[in-house]
Amino acid sequence: METIIIATDFSHAATNAALYAAELANALQKELLILYIDTLPVTYADVPIPTRLEEMTEMGEMEIKKLQERLILHTTGNISITTEIQMGTFFTTLTSVCERVHPYAVVMGSQGTTASERFFFGGHTVHAMKHLKWPLITVPPQAKFSPVTQIGLACDFENILATTPLSGIRKLVKDFHAKLHVLNSGSGSEYNPDTVFESALLEDLLSGLDPEFHYITDKDHDPDKALVDFVKNNHIQLLLVLPKQHHLLESIFHKSHTKQLVLNSDVPVMALH
């Protein structure tokens, strides 16, 4: 059976994401793995390392057991929920666990509720959204799980053949029995020749899913805000984004749309690479 990994630091936002992940696993009949990655902050460099590591490990074991018990109760024991504690740098360790487990998806809190949580765990989330090759769902601090019947796909209609994970999109839509909405807020006009060609190509590639296309007017010259507002106003429960890699020179001038959507969306955002 496929597994959903919930990566947690036991903060309020991460615990809320864990509750979402548990209900998601229950709805899709997947197993759930609670993963805590024990990292040693630089600020503790002057503390005897063995003593500090022992304290952190004991705390982690206690907190992960409490979370496991809470999620088992929350799902009334309907799914298998296991735990794992690893030590190391966050992204490298998460990648290693994913390579072993091959998860259906990874779930994380999109941002913390305190300044320190936003800085540390929020930074991990944005980096993972951009670089983790497994599907990753980020859950806003106040988001609650509800049946996913409407899925939005944020698409810029650029180089569709090379940048669109068609099999992943198809699997997700079919697993949820959901309606797919293709959302574009940055190409300028639905009558742009390139947009017409690429959108027609995508519609053909997604044949059988009957996607609905939306060209969102950007009145405030802020396509990310326009997209977030559309998702909220049209009751879309899950927003798919397709992070793209940029060369160093491009990245200096390129605004990270993925980051803006993760930090500002009121609904969970899922990255597919």
Side-chain angles (χ1 to χ4, degrees):
M1 184 179 291
E2 293 177 302
T3 299
I4 292 175
I5 295 175
I6 170 67
T8 184
D9 65 349
F10 309 118
S11 64
H12 173 77
T15 299
N16 180 66
L19 292 168
Y20 180 96
E23 292 194 52
L24 176 66
N26 195 25
L28 297 176
Q29 283 301 288
K30 310 295 182 186
E31 295 183 348
L32 186 66
L33 170 62
I34 306 172
L35 175 65
Y36 171 56
I37 299 173
D38 198 344
T39 59
L40 187 66
V42 176
T43 52
Y44 293 122
D46 57 343
V47 178
I49 298 299
T51 301
R52 182 59 193 166
L53 290 180
E54 187 175 318
E55 290 175 359
M56 292 177 68
T57 301
E58 289 178 358
M59 183 204 72
E61 290 174 348
M62 180 179 65
E63 291 295 331
I64 205 169
K65 181 176 177 55
K66 285 169 53 179
L67 181 58
Q68 180 188 33
E69 291 173 349
R70 180 176 179 181
L71 296 185
I72 290 173
L73 184 64
H74 190 71
T75 56
T76 62
N78 286 336
I79 59 173
S80 170
I81 302 177
T82 56
T83 66
E84 185 171 331
I85 296 178
Q86 291 285 344
M87 188 168 294
T89 56
F90 184 86
F91 182 75
T92 301
T93 306
L94 177 60
T95 300
S96 177
V97 173
C98 287
E99 288 174 349
R100 172 168 50 84
V101 175
H102 296 281
Y104 178 83
V106 177
V107 177
M108 296 175 62
S110 64
Q111 53 185 293
T113 49
T114 67
S116 60
E117 286 174 8
R118 286 194 294 271
F119 180 77
F120 288 109
F121 203 64
H124 288 318
T125 301
V126 171
H127 183 81
M129 283 289 283
K130 292 179 180 179
H131 301 289
L132 191 70
K133 70 178 183 178
W134 282 270
L136 172 63
I137 300 174
T138 62
V139 182
Q142 305 305 322
K144 305 301 178 186
F145 180 82
S146 62
V148 178
T149 60
Q150 308 290 326
I151 295 176
L153 169 63
C155 186
D156 59 10
F157 296 138
E158 293 181 8
N159 201 8
I160 289 295
L161 278 175
T163 62
T164 308
L166 296 170
S167 61
I169 295 171
R170 283 184 174 278
K171 178 175 174 58
L172 202 64
V173 172
K174 290 181 178 180
D175 285 350
F176 283 110
H177 305 287
K179 172 70 176 178
L180 179 64
H181 299 264
V182 179
L183 314 176
N184 176 268
S185 62
S187 62
S189 170
E190 60 185 294
Y191 303 109
N192 179 292
D194 291 336
T195 300
V196 171
F197 175 79
E198 294 285 345
S199 60
L201 177 59
L202 181 59
E203 185 173 14
D204 184 57
L205 292 170
L206 294 174
S207 61
L209 297 183
D210 191 27
E212 186 173 333
F213 286 72
H214 305 269
Y215 301 90
I216 304 167
T217 304
D218 178 23
K219 297 178 180 179
D220 300 321
H221 304 289
D222 188 344
D224 297 325
K225 182 179 183 302
L227 187 60
V228 168
D229 289 345
F230 181 92
V231 166
K232 181 178 181 180
N233 295 333
N234 289 273
H235 309 292
I236 288 173
Q237 293 99 5
L238 183 64
L239 176 63
L240 306 184
V241 297
L242 312 177
K244 296 183 178 180
Q245 301 299 318
H246 299 274
H247 296 297
L248 177 60
L249 186 60
E250 291 178 315
S251 67
I252 295 173
F253 302 101
H254 188 274
K255 178 182 177 181
S256 173
H257 296 290
T258 300
K259 178 178 180 180
Q260 295 306 312
L261 292 175
V262 167
L263 296 180
N264 295 298
S265 176
D266 291 326
V267 304
V269 177
M270 184 175 193
L272 291 176
H273 288 266

